[in-house]
């Protein structure tokens, strides 16, 4: 959406965090205004003047000391209560619910497996508006952190320790997120795109994702499909209908339907895909995607094949 994402909540969870932030900000501003006013008054009124007598010296004032101890303590107690309420509102308990979606952080991309339908996506997560999904957040390697500020809190993706978070959106739209825990060279290019759709559109998207794209039988795309198998791309990438290996690299079954490649490092255009296949490091230095030293013809054929994976 637009503006500063943390100040633009689009889910009840994110709204609860935003409201607490605004409330504390207002209280802090009031305290700042009070202190600044009292200081200004004191500086002006008690400044040194020509011939003025020496100021009266005060040694302790029990009443004042009690007031400035009790008032902040009460204030902090109130903030504590609202903070605890926000913790519950922004992170409802997951116990007793089965996760809808398993999100796995990898260096440097996100795998998203829909546990009920079997859909596997990468970097772009679709959710139905008004139906909170329970996410199981895991990591395949180091600690990552899943954060979509408009939709909720941050949550760490810790190897061997699944975390849970509810995610929902009030209205359809595209919400940007990112990995929020330094996880290596390409930490900055570990973007998350959450696409909130009406339940009907979400269901249609899931059906679409479950279709197996036809293997092209002729032309450049067919050569590309052959190269995909010969060049061991299948060792790391799954494409439904081929014998690809899941979960090392992103599932490419519906690659052409995505807006980004390399977890946001480039827009998904044929030109960028070509560049990526020729030299992945030119787009994303230190990516685990190897450079296969493809010829231009081979890379073009692969791009032609990838473009059929709608
Ligand atoms: Cu993954 Cu930072």
């Amino acid at each position: 959406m637009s503006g500063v994402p943390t100040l633009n909540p689009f889910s009840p969870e994110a709204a609860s965090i935003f409201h607490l932030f605004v409330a504390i900000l207002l209280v802090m501003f009031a305290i700042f205004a009070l202190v600044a006013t009292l200081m200004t008054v004191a500086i002006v009124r008690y400044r040194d003047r020509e011939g003025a007598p020496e100021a009266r010296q005060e040694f302790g004032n029990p009443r004042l000391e009690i007031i400035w101890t009790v008032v902040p303590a009460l204030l902090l107690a109130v903030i504590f209560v609202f903070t605890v309420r926000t913790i519950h509102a922004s992170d409802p308990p997951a116990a007793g619910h089965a996760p809808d979606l398993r999100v796995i952080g990898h260096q440097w991309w996100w795998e998203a497996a829909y546990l009920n339908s079997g859909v596997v996506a990468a970097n772009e997560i679709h959710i139905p508006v008004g139906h909170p999904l329970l996410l199981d957040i895991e990591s395949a390697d180091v600690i990552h952190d899943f954060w979509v500020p408009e939709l909720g809190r941050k949550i760490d993706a810790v190897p061997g320790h699944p975390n849970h978070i509810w995610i929902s959106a009030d209205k359809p739209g595209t919400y940007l997120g990112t990995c929020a825990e330094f996880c290596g060279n390409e930490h900055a290019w570990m973007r998350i795109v959450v696409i909130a759709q009406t339940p009907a559109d979400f269901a249609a998207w899931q059906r679409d994702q479950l279709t197996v794209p036809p293997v092209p039988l002729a032309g450049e795309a067919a050569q590309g499909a052959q190269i995909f198998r010969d060049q061991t791309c299948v060792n790391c990438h799954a494409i439904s209908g081929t014998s690809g290996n899941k979960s090392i690299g992103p599932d490419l079954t519906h690659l052409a339907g995505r807006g980004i490649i390399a977890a946001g490092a480039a827009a998904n255009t044929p030109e960028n895909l070509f560049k990526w296949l020729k030299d992945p490091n030119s787009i994303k230095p230190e990516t685990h995607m190897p450079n296969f030293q493809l010829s231009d013809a081979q890379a073009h054929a692969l791009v032609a094949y990838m473009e059929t994976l709608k």
Side-chain angles (χ1 to χ4, degrees):
M1 292 280 159
S2 61
V4 181
T6 42
L7 304 182
N8 275 301
F10 281 94
S11 76
E13 291 80 14
S16 67
I17 295 171
F18 173 68
H19 292 149
L20 179 69
F21 168 72
V22 171
I24 293 180
L25 191 70
L26 290 177
V27 170
M28 296 308 142
F29 186 76
I31 293 170
F32 172 77
L34 178 70
V35 171
T37 307
L38 289 176
M39 262 180 64
T40 309
V41 167
I43 288 167
V44 172
R45 193 159 157 199
Y46 300 110
R47 71 186 187 279
D48 191 22
R49 293 189 182 85
E50 195 71 37
E54 197 184 327
R56 187 161 51 91
Q57 302 299 309
E58 294 271 0
F59 296 98
N61 184 327
R63 194 202 281 173
L64 260 183
E65 282 164 20
I66 288 169
I67 290 174
W68 71 47
T69 305
V70 170
V71 170
L74 284 177
L75 212 53
L76 285 176
V78 170
I79 288 175
F80 172 77
V81 169
F82 280 97
T83 302
V84 170
R85 284 172 50 142
T86 300
I87 288 171
H88 284 288
S90 65
D91 194 16
H97 298 270
D100 301 288
L101 182 56
R102 177 163 295 131
V103 174
I104 305 171
H106 294 255
Q107 282 178 319
W108 289 277
W109 62 284
W110 298 94
E111 177 182 347
Y114 292 77
L115 301 175
N116 298 320
S117 65
V119 167
V120 179
N123 305 316
E124 297 182 9
I125 298 173
H126 290 240
I127 62 170
V129 164
H131 291 268
L133 298 186
L134 182 60
L135 271 52
D136 175 62
I137 307 279
E138 298 184 16
S139 169
D141 35 50
V142 301
I143 298 176
H144 303 274
D145 191 292
F146 181 91
W147 190 33
V148 184
E150 287 161 319
L151 303 183
R153 57 163 294 184
K154 294 177 180 178
I155 185 99
D156 271 358
V158 182
H161 178 87
N163 280 327
H164 294 90
I165 185 178
W166 289 95
I167 196 166
S168 67
D170 297 333
K171 56 179 199 174
T174 301
Y175 305 94
L176 299 181
T178 188
C179 179
E181 179 79 39
F182 183 71
C183 55
N185 209 50
E186 288 299 330
H187 157 69
W189 286 121
M190 201 169 154
R191 299 295 165 89
I192 305 152
V193 179
V194 175
I195 298 160
Q197 299 172 295
T198 62
D201 287 351
F202 175 68
W205 175 78
Q206 289 211 93
R207 277 196 302 278
D208 203 50
Q209 291 291 303
L210 289 171
T211 60
V212 176
V215 179
L217 298 173
E220 208 179 17
Q223 289 169 26
Q226 188 60 46
I227 294 166
F228 183 80
R229 290 188 291 270
D230 293 349
Q231 290 285 335
T232 65
C233 310
V234 284
N235 287 358
C236 294
H237 292 284
I239 294 180
S240 293
T242 73
S243 56
N245 207 332
K246 281 184 199 299
S247 285
I248 295 174
D251 186 303
L252 302 178
T253 307
H254 297 279
L255 173 70
R258 296 183 194 143
I260 54 173
I261 56 170
N268 187 6
T269 64
E271 296 74 36
N272 285 338
L273 212 45
F274 177 81
K275 214 171 137 194
W276 174 250
L277 290 166
K278 284 285 286 183
D279 183 10
N281 271 279
S282 70
I283 287 183
K284 203 168 177 179
E286 286 195 22
T287 173
H288 296 322
M289 164 92 171
N291 183 338
F292 281 98
Q293 312 291 337
L294 299 168
S295 69
D296 283 7
Q298 284 175 315
H300 278 302
L302 271 172
V303 171
Y305 173 45
M306 300 288 142
E307 293 300 311
T308 69
L309 302 174
K310 298 241 192 290

